[in-house]
Amino acid sequence: MSKLVFSPMGWLLRSCLGVLVLLVLLAILLFGSLQSPPARQAGVALLNRLLASDGIRVVLGPQEGLLPCEVHLESLTLADAQGPWLTIQDLDWSLSRAALLEGRLVFQSLTA
């Protein structure tokens, strides 16, 4: 008959591996859900609110592409109390995925 031997290091390693797998699956699920139309609309509405400041309104038009790295915006408008003062049509950008993972925002391309 064999004895079961408890190994604290083996248990710790399995636990860490399990947490890592769960984090990767959560990241994949979050990335996938960002691509759905309702999530895109909610994201645009949230960005419109976050980018607004005292007296300045930012309005992001409909967007396409692979969020957040490769995006096409139909329009981006800046407005104040007198109305819109800047509108950019057909805005495209591509962000560095590696820089995003490092917490930096690096544009590989930005065209309008």
Side-chain angles (χ1 to χ4, degrees):
M1 181 186 305
S2 65
K3 292 183 178 182
L4 291 175
V5 177
F6 176 73
S7 168
M9 289 304 290
W11 177 84
L12 182 63
L13 183 62
R14 284 191 302 275
S15 296
C16 288
L17 185 60
V19 168
L20 181 62
V21 167
L22 284 175
L23 288 174
V24 168
L25 289 174
L26 182 62
I28 290 170
L29 182 64
L30 180 62
F31 179 77
S33 68
L34 279 176
Q35 308 313 315
S36 71
R40 286 175 183 262
Q41 291 170 352
V44 166
L46 177 64
L47 281 174
N48 284 338
R49 284 194 308 274
L50 291 175
L51 294 173
S53 65
D54 293 335
I56 301 290
R57 214 171 20 105
V58 178
V59 180
L60 302 174
Q63 43 79 22
E64 301 171 352
L66 187 61
L67 291 176
C69 300
E70 297 172 7
V71 177
H72 170 80
L73 281 177
E74 285 185 20
S75 64
L76 174 112
T77 302
L78 299 178
D80 58 16
Q82 283 77 34
W85 51 271
L86 175 67
T87 298
I88 302 171
Q89 299 291 328
D90 295 321
L91 180 63
D92 293 297
W93 73 74
S94 178
L95 298 176
S96 167
R97 289 176 178 92
L100 283 175
L101 291 174
E102 295 171 357
R104 298 181 301 128
L105 189 65
V106 175
F107 288 89
Q108 293 177 323
S109 68
L110 179 63
T111 60

